[in-house]
Amino acid sequence: MTDVLARASGVTRRYGDVVAVDNLTVEIPAGQLLGLLGPNGAGKSTLINMFVGLRKPSSGTVELFGHDPRDVRARRRMGMTPQETGMPETLRAGEVIEFVAAHYPDPLPRKELLAQFHLEDVEQRQTGGLSGGERRRLAIALAFVGRPDLVFLDEPTTGLDVEVRRALWDGVKAYNAAGGTAVITSHYLEEIEELAERVIILDGGRCVADDSVAALRQVSGLRKVTIRTPEVPTLPGVVGVEQSGDVVSLLTHDADQLVRDLVASGAPFADLEVSTGSLEDAFLAYTTKAPTATPASA
Amino acid sequence: MNTIAAYTKFEILGAIRIPMVFVALLFLPTVGMLLFVVPALGDDPTAAALSTGSMCLFTVLIICSAQYGLGIADARMKPWGGYVRTLPGGPLPKMISMIAMSALFVVLGTIPLIAIAAIGTKATASVGGVLLGLGGLVLAIVPFSLLMLAIGYAVNPYLVSVITNISPIILAYVGGLFTDPHSTSGFVTHVAPFIPTRGSAELVWAAIGDYSPQPLSMVMLVVWTVVLGFLAYRAYRSDEGKRYR
């Protein structure tokens, strides 16, 4: 059995009358890249805040490395990204790194960290004067300062351009390959799809799905039939249409039947391609109540 | 040790890059010295010395309210403050570094006041008395910072700025810092021993001049320190940053 680094058991968190997290049980095993998905207000941040000791559960228990997360001992092997807004503006990037490093017994050497996150040029600049991308990279670097075994990355690449995002993904993958465990929330499904092995979809504070990325793609039950055609054909069994230029994607529960109907309709088309639905489809299937997107099983 | 040094450096860097803060902190006590102590008590060596001590203690109150009350409220409002709470440091390094900073601020902050007293009044005090008085001022950081910590952690951060602006003046007034230490009548004299500022003030007065502390004030000082320490600890434990309803 693999080590469980962190565990939430029957956790509920209320803010006044609002239930942000509702009787949730989650285990984070060592070495896993866990994606946390959910619409705004689903309880992702609240869950993470309970894991890192910022908030107490209203009921249930949260454990981090076998301790209460509010206990200092629990947090020595954990790293987290601060929100890049509100960093101490008058301090230089290097000074902020030094401050965070002082909390850990064996921090990464500063030069190594700076190089890893392409921050060498900003070491001497005050954080208030950094660009959004630089500040974001600094924030992510801070999660890795103490050589953590578990990192919580809350929206790590929001607002970054594609290239920097790719570079950070590679960094997370390398960290994971070396045995690191990460919990990632993101607005970009693409990011979760790229990085995570396991995905938890939260909605209304509850866990509505908890499975591998591959299994979640399957379970949405949707197939995507993509063709090149001048006109969107009208066919039975189509539950969604995406169109860009003359490339049309038809979402359906039964790709075989749709292709038969497509051929029988005599509509002109080329470049037929059938793929399993994306994680995005699964996500929508789980978090919307649209009749066409009911999950096949729960 | 490493962590404490890091916090202290962090606090100092944060403070020295906004120097106007110091002007704001010293404004009220300096005005108090120039408008009240110098013209009214300047010719009485003992009264001038004791009043200078009162103004110095007033400065300590203001420094503590800014550093702990406002500082903590500010940290609670900013995401950075929340982030620091996730680091494996615990409250101790931050508190120790903040107290070290306060001691430094107090010594630096009282220099202008002592200079005004030396130049503008006939106040007399021995060198040993002044040093002992500084010791009393540094000691006063303990109850004042605990009080402001309790406020900073427990009260809605938006309200904290109001409370920390007003409370030093009120506490200084009812604690008898603006009246004659030897006065035996009036409302303030009867209330003062029960106010958390009074005990510290009497220690400072005793250090620099002819004054013997009242037992009641001393007992209340200990009581207040214990109570405020408990309140500050409880407020720290139950704080979860900014709260919305």
Side-chain angles (χ1 to χ4, degrees):
Chain A
M1 204 192 119
T2 39
D3 256 358
V4 172
L5 301 189
R7 179 185 282 124
S9 320
V11 163
T12 297
R13 171 71 206 210
R14 289 182 206 87
Y15 299 111
D17 295 336
V18 181
V19 180
V21 167
D22 189 0
N23 193 21
L24 202 60
T25 297
V26 176
E27 287 191 349
I28 305 172
Q32 196 167 60
L33 281 177
L34 170 63
L36 214 50
L37 280 180
N40 290 333
K44 296 173 302 226
S45 295
T46 303
L47 180 62
I48 286 191
N49 283 341
M50 288 191 287
F51 270 125
V52 299
L54 280 179
R55 300 217 182 258
K56 267 188 293 193
S58 309
S59 64
T61 57
V62 179
E63 259 177 63
L64 185 65
F65 294 105
H67 298 285
D68 184 328
R70 295 171 76 83
D71 185 330
V72 171
R73 280 171 298 172
R75 302 198 301 266
R76 285 215 180 102
R77 293 164 62 195
M78 184 273 289
M80 190 195 174
T81 46
Q83 287 177 34
E84 77 273 24
T85 52
M87 277 213 231
E89 292 177 2
T90 55
L91 267 78
R92 300 181 211 283
E95 289 165 353
V96 174
I97 292 175
E98 190 191 330
F99 171 73
V100 175
H103 290 82
Y104 297 96
D106 179 30
L108 277 178
R110 176 141 39 126
K111 295 288 170 210
E112 200 177 305
L113 188 79
L114 289 167
Q116 200 178 327
F117 290 90
H118 309 288
L119 287 164
E120 296 99 327
D121 298 342
V122 304
E123 184 182 2
Q124 293 303 321
R125 304 225 327 257
Q126 295 185 325
T127 64
L130 300 182
S131 74
E134 289 163 342
R135 227 177 288 167
R136 197 80 275 255
R137 283 195 325 249
L138 173 60
I140 297 166
L142 292 180
F144 292 93
V145 169
R147 302 182 198 266
D149 293 317
L150 170 61
V151 289
F152 291 93
L153 306 173
D154 198 359
E155 306 279 346
T157 60
T158 303
L160 290 184
D161 51 40
V162 181
E163 218 169 300
V164 183
R165 196 190 303 168
R166 288 266 163 208
L168 283 170
W169 288 357
D170 290 342
V172 172
K173 283 181 195 164
Y175 164 75
N176 180 240
T181 309
V183 177
I184 303 158
T185 71
S186 181
H187 274 129
Y188 303 112
L189 289 150
E190 188 198 348
E191 182 161 85
I192 299 290
E193 218 160 1
E194 172 85 24
L195 291 176
E197 305 153 37
R198 173 181 163 210
V199 177
I200 290 179
I201 301 179
L202 295 180
D203 194 23
R206 289 165 188 271
C207 173
V208 292
D210 179 354
D211 216 326
S212 70
V213 172
L216 283 177
R217 280 191 197 136
Q218 293 285 339
V219 94
S220 73
L222 292 174
R223 298 291 180 275
K224 194 188 264 183
V225 177
T226 308
I227 48 172
R228 193 180 288 278
T229 176
E231 205 176 313
V232 180
T234 316
L235 295 168
V238 173
V239 297
V241 178
E242 292 163 21
Q243 190 179 7
S244 73
D246 61 350
V247 178
V248 177
S249 296
L250 306 167
L251 290 173
T252 178
H253 287 286
D254 188 345
D256 304 324
Q257 188 57 44
L258 184 72
V259 171
R260 275 186 216 111
D261 291 342
L262 178 64
V263 173
S265 74
F269 70 90
D271 297 342
L272 173 75
E273 212 177 281
V274 180
S275 56
T276 47
S278 67
L279 192 59
E280 186 166 1
D281 301 323
F283 177 68
L284 290 173
Y286 276 115
T287 57
T288 54
K289 272 92 202 156
T292 51
T294 318
S297 63
Chain B
M1 218 35 227
N2 187 10
T3 326
I4 295 170
Y7 273 85
T8 311
K9 185 177 174 193
F10 191 86
E11 299 274 338
I12 292 175
L13 287 175
I16 57 172
R17 289 191 186 148
I18 315 173
M20 270 311 283
V21 171
F22 298 100
V23 178
L25 291 182
L26 288 177
F27 179 74
L28 271 182
T30 311
V31 167
M33 281 299 288
L34 293 175
L35 291 188
F36 302 108
V37 179
V38 174
L41 306 166
D43 293 330
D44 180 339
T46 315
L50 293 188
S51 301
T52 305
S54 302
M55 285 301 151
C56 289
L57 195 67
F58 185 35
T59 311
V60 178
L61 252 182
I62 292 174
I63 288 172
C64 285
S65 77
Q67 210 189 341
Y68 299 90
L70 274 185
I72 296 293
D74 189 54
R76 287 174 63 207
M77 303 259 288
K78 280 194 180 147
W80 178 257
Y83 170 70
V84 172
R85 290 171 72 94
T86 70
L87 296 174
L92 215 60
K94 184 168 175 66
M95 294 216 172
I96 294 176
S97 70
M98 283 182 92
I99 290 171
M101 283 289 286
S102 311
L104 185 70
F105 281 154
V106 165
V107 172
L108 291 179
T110 49
I111 288 173
L113 303 185
I114 294 173
I116 292 173
I119 297 164
T121 72
K122 295 197 174 112
T124 52
S126 63
V127 175
V130 171
L131 289 179
L132 214 56
L134 276 179
L137 292 174
V138 170
L139 203 64
I141 293 169
V142 177
F144 294 177
S145 62
L146 289 174
L147 167 70
M148 293 303 170
L149 279 174
I151 294 175
Y153 277 121
V155 179
N156 181 322
Y158 293 98
L159 266 178
V160 168
S161 66
V162 179
I163 294 179
T164 52
N165 267 322
I166 299 172
S167 59
I169 299 181
I170 295 176
L171 286 172
Y173 178 75
V174 292
L177 298 189
F178 299 153
T179 45
D180 177 10
H182 294 291
S183 125
T184 52
S185 61
F187 166 73
V188 167
T189 312
H190 292 105
V191 181
F194 300 98
I195 305 298
T197 37
R198 181 67 179 197
S200 302
E202 295 191 358
L203 287 177
V204 172
W205 292 331
I208 52 178
D210 170 29
Y211 189 90
S212 7
Q214 304 171 41
L216 177 58
S217 308
M218 293 301 107
V219 170
M220 286 311 292
L221 177 61
V222 174
V223 170
W224 272 116
T225 306
V226 172
V227 169
L228 292 172
F230 172 74
L231 289 178
Y233 176 77
R234 224 184 49 171
Y236 171 81
R237 286 293 291 182
S238 60
D239 171 46
E240 299 186 348
K242 198 156 40 173
R243 275 178 230 207
Y244 295 108
R245 288 184 199 287

